[in-house]
């Protein structure tokens, strides 16, 4: 069966939901997310808005993901490493590839790769 490309908010929500189900179940990543996020429904909506803004160039997302990730790193004794970002990125690529294909799907992978690199560097810098 041919997969289709990401087209709308509903597609992004399906991607984000499937992806974070994997993240939450992952033995290495799960504790960071499960111990930090208390309202998963609200968080999935926020993440959907983030990716919708990023992929479809909507300007609705107003959060500060860098600050949030720096705070999580601090709460976990500065233990976030490139291993965590590698696992996160592999799960993202796996989920995108399972559900979608096309230009937006490829862009979702490119943007995730850039974001993971940027986030990792900024978390490391913040440890100062």
């Amino acid at each position: 069966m041919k997969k289709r490309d990401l087209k709308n908010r509903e597609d992004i929500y399906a991607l984000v939901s499937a992806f974070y189900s994997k993240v939450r179940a992952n033995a290495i990543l799960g504790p960071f997310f499960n111990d930090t996020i208390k309202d998963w429904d609200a968080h999935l909506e926020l993440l959907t808005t983030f990716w919708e803004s990023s992929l479809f160039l909507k300007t609705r997302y107003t959060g500060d993901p860098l600050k949030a990730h720096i705070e999580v790193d601090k709460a976990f004794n500065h233990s976030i490493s490139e291993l965590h970002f590698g696992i996160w990125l592999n799960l993202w690529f796996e989920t995108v590839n399972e559900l979608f294909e096309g230009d937006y799907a490829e862009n979702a992978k490119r943007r995730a790769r850039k974001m993971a690199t940027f986030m990792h560097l900024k978390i490391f810098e913040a440890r100062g």
Side-chain angles (χ1 to χ4, degrees), residues 15 19 22-23 26 29 82-98 109 112-113 116:
L15 171 61
F19 169 69
K22 292 178 184 188
V23 166
N26 183 275
L29 295 184
E82 63 278 359
L83 171 70
H84 299 100
F85 283 98
I87 294 168
W88 182 91
L89 204 52
N90 283 335
L91 289 174
W92 179 257
F93 274 47
E94 176 184 291
T95 309
V96 171
N97 289 336
E98 285 172 358
K109 293 186 284 187
R113 186 183 301 113

Side-chain angles (χ1 to χ4, degrees), residues 18-76:
F19 169 69
Y20 279 99
S21 289
K22 292 178 184 188
V23 166
R24 293 178 74 185
N26 183 275
I28 295 170
L29 295 184
F32 289 96
F33 290 87
N34 294 322
D35 292 353
T36 302
I37 298 163
K38 302 305 177 204
D39 183 348
W40 272 98
D41 290 337
H43 197 65
L44 291 173
E45 285 296 329
L46 181 71
L47 292 166
T48 299
T49 299
F50 171 83
W51 281 103
E52 182 182 35
S53 298
S54 180
L55 294 174
F56 300 141
L57 304 178
K58 308 244 179 191
T59 56
R60 295 173 15 179
Y61 182 79
T62 58
D64 188 349
L66 179 57
K67 181 179 180 225
H69 287 82
I70 288 170
E71 289 173 6
V72 170
D73 182 56
K74 193 181 295 182
F76 283 86

